[in-house]
């Protein structure tokens, strides 16, 4: 019985690629150095999967930034501002598209479906001249072959690529991106021919858009595209892979009828309803790649249950046509449990990271073929039983408190306009008040202090002294820049979710459980294994300390319950909303303690609220109801004069703007600059927003420093659709990934722009 892995983590077990990328970007190493690190990582991954017995091993899943940007490079779809005209696309153009450079901004970045991974959004239109400009897919296939490993080259499918794109600036909104299929398919044909020439026998097209709600003409585009590719694909086995949700019935019909396609891959973890579609009809003679091992979470597979599922499918498609697979790429999980020293033995036995999931896939394939590893299956059953019965998982008082939430919507008693009046009397802010989102640059020295404190190499007294000095530095910088509402810079935090999880019960933490978010940015998601509560205050000391250093308002900085949930590996033994309500109650305790501690402005970040929105519209309402309710629980008990902020980053918000309003925050700061100010369009279309709002005025994910005039122009665009008395001026997101040499001039220009517009508004009266 055959086995398959959809994709694998790229960063390496100890984030080797992250450090290689950052060293290259800083000019400390060469392109050849970066290529060697990545080649070594690819070699290790391919050999590991081959040794584990995996038959269908992916190649071309190793991106320096993301797989959609790789496809943009392959198609030569480089926006004109980057100055590329022809030839093989190199690192300079590739990374300029991803990160911007000194003279031009980066392309838009957004979330990859409902994950915390990101991709660079292609900018397309009728004038784009496509050409075969990156041979990476073929080169990586040849690279693996030279190592003695036969792989399945993976390409982002042509229809999904176009549907994940956006119209380039200036392109008429009526332009249909799918009309570009005839222009990009010839390039796909060139790639396919080169792969065939290099000896490839299989090819995988990732077409995740099949799981979305698609109109008929979009489904027809899939049929037309693969019909056009059919003759070129002749002689190859072709897998079309889907993931992240059920495939709708109509899409399933289209998918399983595609010309030239040999195999179909389905996520049977998040798409359990697809099993019924398969059982009701699967094309004879085709392969089913059954994604029964979860690629998005870290819990050990229930091998016995998965085997039952596989055996039922075997009766439908035939023994020789069933392939055991992961539900999606393992990119979304941590790399290897072997590297974990922090986890205790009991919790560790409940988990499987990417390397362990490869072993699970192989074990299931062998069991299906009658070669069951009894000791492996027995150990798995014991671990599952241990998790179900462990007293660490259940806290009756927490469950009782969460159950008591039913029957109330937890809204603040006073309308937001009245609250804003009370807050202005207390805060006395100018129009267009300036602030930042929370974090300031995380210097090498600051990281060293935190690392040495965790390793018990320095005393708590020395640690507190160092963090206080860093807070004072950040406060002084903001006062010198004349920012109105300050932050303490979060020097005590490595990560906005990990920091809180470490202080909440029901969470466990890894030493090396890193997961790529975008580019070189990695996060280490906490593991929520049990009921959640807050044993003691988490941020009050640091926020109160920072407030004592200034007479200006100091924001208390918290991460909201939905974001903690969506940026963690969440327990799968109870509904997600129940876990979220537990987290909300814990954050509510912290909010009320901050207020008692003299903090009058409290920011509860919900950066990931939009990210968790289900992919199917029929499921949106239920999710938004409990997600928004969870946020309101956190702050329903504060006084009118306490100003509650929230922040949301890289997402599409227009379709959920009414839910954002329903959160009932006093001020929301929100990504705007990198997405061509799409957010503002919702207000142009007549949506009324009465609370404070700060659409980001510059992109912090790029090293580029915007000018005062550029920021002032953005503010004026905002004032065209928003009242001046509710508009805030702030960057898109936190500043932790930037350097002070970038942050100081950018913030100075931001404050100068706000003052310039204030002066113009005053003169106009």
């Amino acid at each position: 019985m055959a086995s398959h892995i959809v994709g694998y983590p790229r960063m390496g077990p100890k984030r080797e690629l992250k450090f290689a990328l950052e060293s290259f970007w800083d000019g400390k190493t060469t392109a050849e150095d970066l290529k060697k690190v990545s080649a070594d990582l690819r070699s290790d991954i391919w050999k590991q999967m081959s040794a584990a017995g995996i038959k269908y091993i992916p190649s071309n899943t190793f991106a320096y930034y993301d797989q959609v940007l790789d496809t943009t490079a392959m198609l030569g779809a480089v926006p004109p501002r980057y100055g590329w005209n022809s030839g093989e696309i190199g690192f300079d153009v590739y990374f300029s598209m991803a990160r911007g450079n000194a003279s031009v901004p980066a392309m838009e970045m957004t979330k990859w479906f409902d994950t915390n991974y990101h991709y660079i959004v292609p900018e397309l239109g009728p004038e784009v001249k496509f050409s075969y400009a990156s041979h990476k897919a073929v080169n990586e296939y040849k690279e693996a072959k030279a190592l003695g490993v036969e792989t399945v080259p993976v390409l982002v499918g042509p229809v999904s690529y176009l549907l994940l794109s956006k119209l380039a600036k200036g392109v008429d909104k009526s332009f249909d991106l799918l009309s570009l299929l005839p222009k990009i398919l010839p390039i796909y044909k060139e790639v396919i021919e080169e792969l065939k020439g290099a000896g490839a026998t299989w090819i995988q097209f990732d077409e995740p858009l099949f799981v979305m709600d698609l109109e008929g003409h979009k489904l027809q585009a899939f049929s037309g595209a693969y019909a056009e590719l059919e003759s070129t694909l002749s002689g190859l086995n072709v897998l079309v892979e889907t993931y992240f949700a059920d495939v709708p019935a109509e899409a399933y019909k289209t998918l399983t009828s595609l010309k030239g396609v040999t195999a179909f891959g389905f996520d049977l973890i998040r798409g359990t309803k697809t099993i019924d579609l398969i059982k009701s009809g699967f094309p004879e003679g085709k392969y089913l790649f059954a994604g029964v091992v979860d690629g998005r979470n870290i819990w050990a597979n229930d091998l016995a249950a998965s085997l039952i599922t596989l055996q039922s499918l075997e009766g439908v498609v035939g023994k020789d046509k069933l392939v055991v697979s992961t539900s999606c790429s393992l990119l979304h999980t941590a790399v290897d449990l072997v590297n974990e020293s922090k986890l205790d033995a009991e919790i560790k036995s409940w988990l499987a990271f990417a390397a362990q999931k490869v072993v699970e896939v192989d074990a299931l394939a062998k069991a299906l073929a009658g070669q069951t590893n009894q000791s492996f299956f027995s150990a798995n059953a014991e671990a599952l039983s241990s998790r179900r019965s462990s007293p660490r998982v259940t806290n009756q008082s927490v469950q009782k408190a969460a159950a008591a939430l039913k029957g109330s919507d937890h809204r603040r008693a006073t309308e937001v306009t009245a609250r804003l009046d009370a807050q202005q009397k207390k805060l006395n802010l100018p129009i267009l008040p300036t602030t930042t989102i929370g974090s300031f640059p995380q210097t090498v020295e600051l990281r060293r202090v935190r690392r040495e404190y965790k390793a018990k190499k320095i005393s708590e007294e020395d640690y507190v002294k160092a963090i206080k000095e860093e807070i004072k530095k950040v406060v002084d910088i903001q006062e010198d820049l004349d920012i109105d509402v300050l932050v303490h810079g979060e020097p005590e935090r490595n990560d906005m979710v990990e920091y809180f999880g470490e202080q909440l019960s029901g969470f466990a933490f890894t030493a090396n459980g890193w997961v790529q978010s975008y580019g070189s940015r990695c996060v280490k998601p906490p593991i929520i294994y049990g009921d959640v509560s807050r044993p003691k205050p988490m941020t009050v000391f640091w926020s109160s300390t920072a407030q004592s250093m200034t007479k200006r308002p100091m924001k208390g900085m918290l991460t909201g319950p939905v974001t903690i949930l969506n940026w963690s590996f969440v327990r799968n033994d109870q509904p997600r909303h129940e876990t979220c309500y537990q987290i909300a109650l814990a954050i509510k305790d912290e909010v009320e303690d901050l207020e008692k501690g003299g903090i009058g402005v409290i920011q509860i970040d919900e950066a990931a609220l939009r990210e968790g929105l289900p992919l199917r519209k029929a499921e949106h309402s239920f999710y938004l109801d409990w997600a928004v309710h969870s946020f309101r629980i956190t702050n329903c008990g504060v006084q009118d004069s306490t100003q509650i902020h929230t922040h949301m980053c890289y997402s599409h918000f227009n379709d959920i703007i009414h839910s954002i309003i329903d959160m009932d925050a006093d001020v929301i700061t929100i990504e705007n600059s990198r997405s061509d100010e799409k957010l503002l369009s919702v207000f142009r279309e007549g949506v009324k927003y009465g609370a404070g709002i700060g659409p980001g005025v510059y992109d912090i994910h790029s090293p580029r420093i915007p000018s005062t005039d550029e920021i002032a122009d953005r503010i004026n665009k905002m004032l065209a659709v928003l009242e001046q008395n509710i508009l805030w001026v702030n960057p898109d997101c936190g500043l932790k990934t930037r350097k002070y040499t970038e942050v100081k001039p950018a913030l100075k220009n931001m404050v100068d722009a706000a003052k310039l517009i204030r002066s113009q508004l005053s003169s106009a009266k």
Side-chain angles (χ1 to χ4, degrees), residues 301-318:
N301 188 271
D302 186 336
L303 296 176
S306 293
L307 190 56
I308 291 170
T309 299
L310 290 165
Q311 287 167 340
S312 71
L313 293 170
E314 188 179 54
V316 176
V317 303

Side-chain angles (χ1 to χ4, degrees), residues 17 33 117 175 235 238 250 265 304 383 438 451 520 578 606 630 687 737:
L17 182 59
D33 295 327
Y117 183 64
F175 181 76
V238 179
E250 280 304 308
R451 188 169 59 248
S520 68
E578 291 184 15
E606 283 296 15
S630 295
V687 171
T737 60

